[in-house]
Amino acid sequence: AEHIPGALFFDIDDVKDEMNPLPHMLPSPAVFASKIKKMGIGDGMRVVAYDNEGLYSAARVWWMFRAMGHEDVSVLNGGLPKWKAEGHPVTDEPPPHRSERHFTPRFNAGLVRDINDVKAALAAGSEQVVDARAAARFRGEVTEPRAGLRSGHMPGARNVPYTTLLNDDGTLKTTEELRTIFEQAGVDPTRPITTSCGSGVTAGVLALGLALIGHPDAAVYDGSWTEWGHENSGGDVVTGPA
């Protein structure tokens, strides 16, 4: 219906691991590179991600590019709502065709966690797990929106709902405010962190917030609660506050 003129559509439900039953899981470097090259994105290009919520899935795209070794990627603060509020143009015209470019993936395993990584980290206390879901979901007070998932959180996890990092207009809060939010939740940004959420999307918002306060190495648990919360996952679940 409307987008920034010249913008390309990045579909997280297309650029994904087709063999994994979990939603929009990170694809292999080869599949990611193939999709990105066909979009006309290549080495040496700056990528700016935005979404129509203000800040939501754009942070996932930011993380995906960085996980594939492409560091020249930014997020448009406030996304399409702020762009429109400032009077910038939008269009419903398809973007101009871009010729295929060469994209070299360099997988950064340090930014990605699977369920076994998270289980080991929690058992050893080697990483902090920070959950971006709403507080009521974290505490297990409400039913999960996806059917068949247990309610609650991982033992030892902390809770920083991603919405607490945002202003009313969808922009990120100041670095001082972000730092305070993490500290008040019992998170030490100087120690290793893995972020989690419902399906690996808003965990990216926490990773972005941590990067802005000087800690760009936070990993994302890609399967997140959609995987861990399943009764057959083998992951322990507790309820109540962190």
Side-chain angles (χ1 to χ4, degrees):
E2 57 184 6
H3 57 268
I4 295 173
L8 304 170
F9 180 53
F10 187 109
D11 187 351
I12 63 172
D13 289 316
D14 177 58
V15 186
K16 68 174 183 177
D17 180 359
E18 296 282 357
M19 306 304 293
N20 197 312
L22 295 170
H24 40 251
M25 290 287 283
L26 192 70
S28 68
V31 169
F32 184 89
S34 175
K35 297 278 189 181
I36 296 306
K37 287 191 291 189
K38 290 176 181 176
M39 291 174 66
I41 301 173
D43 296 339
M45 285 185 168
R46 160 163 278 196
V47 175
V48 180
Y50 76 93
D51 59 53
N52 63 350
E53 299 293 327
L55 182 55
Y56 185 72
S57 56
R60 164 99 186 166
V61 176
W62 168 84
W63 168 77
M64 291 175 73
F65 271 97
R66 295 182 63 241
M68 295 298 167
H70 192 87
E71 288 289 339
D72 195 4
V73 55
S74 303
V75 171
L76 181 60
N77 199 15
L80 189 63
K82 192 167 191 295
W83 176 272
K84 291 168 60 180
E86 293 179 353
H88 300 299
V90 295
T91 181
D92 63 358
E93 293 294 322
H97 175 72
R98 299 170 66 97
S99 59
E100 188 169 313
R101 303 296 181 96
H102 181 72
F103 183 90
T104 307
R106 299 177 178 87
F107 184 61
N108 184 351
L111 297 182
V112 186
R113 296 288 182 271
D114 64 21
I115 191 168
N116 293 322
D117 297 329
V118 176
K119 287 178 181 178
L122 288 171
S126 57
E127 294 183 11
Q128 303 164 96
V129 175
V130 187
D131 194 323
R133 293 176 301 152
R137 291 175 64 187
F138 179 87
R139 294 193 296 259
E141 297 169 351
V142 295
T143 302
E144 280 292 303
R146 284 183 172 83
L149 300 184
R150 296 171 289 173
S151 297
H153 61 269
M154 304 170 207
R158 298 291 178 176
N159 186 211
V160 178
Y162 84 95
T163 52
T164 62
L165 305 188
L166 305 178
N167 297 306
D168 291 341
D169 63 357
T171 57
L172 279 159
K173 292 180 178 178
T174 66
T175 54
E176 292 79 10
E177 290 172 314
L178 295 176
R179 190 172 289 108
T180 298
I181 290 167
F182 283 109
E183 290 174 353
Q184 289 180 343
V187 179
D188 180 357
T190 65
R191 293 184 56 235
I193 293 173
T194 293
T195 65
S196 181
C197 59
S199 65
V201 175
T202 58
V205 178
L206 299 191
L208 178 62
L210 287 163
L212 288 174
I213 61 174
H215 305 283
D217 298 326
V220 169
Y221 170 26
D222 202 12
S224 283
W225 200 254
T226 302
E227 181 176 39
W228 190 283
H230 194 278
E231 60 182 10
N232 296 325
S233 72
D236 293 334
V237 173
V238 296
T239 58

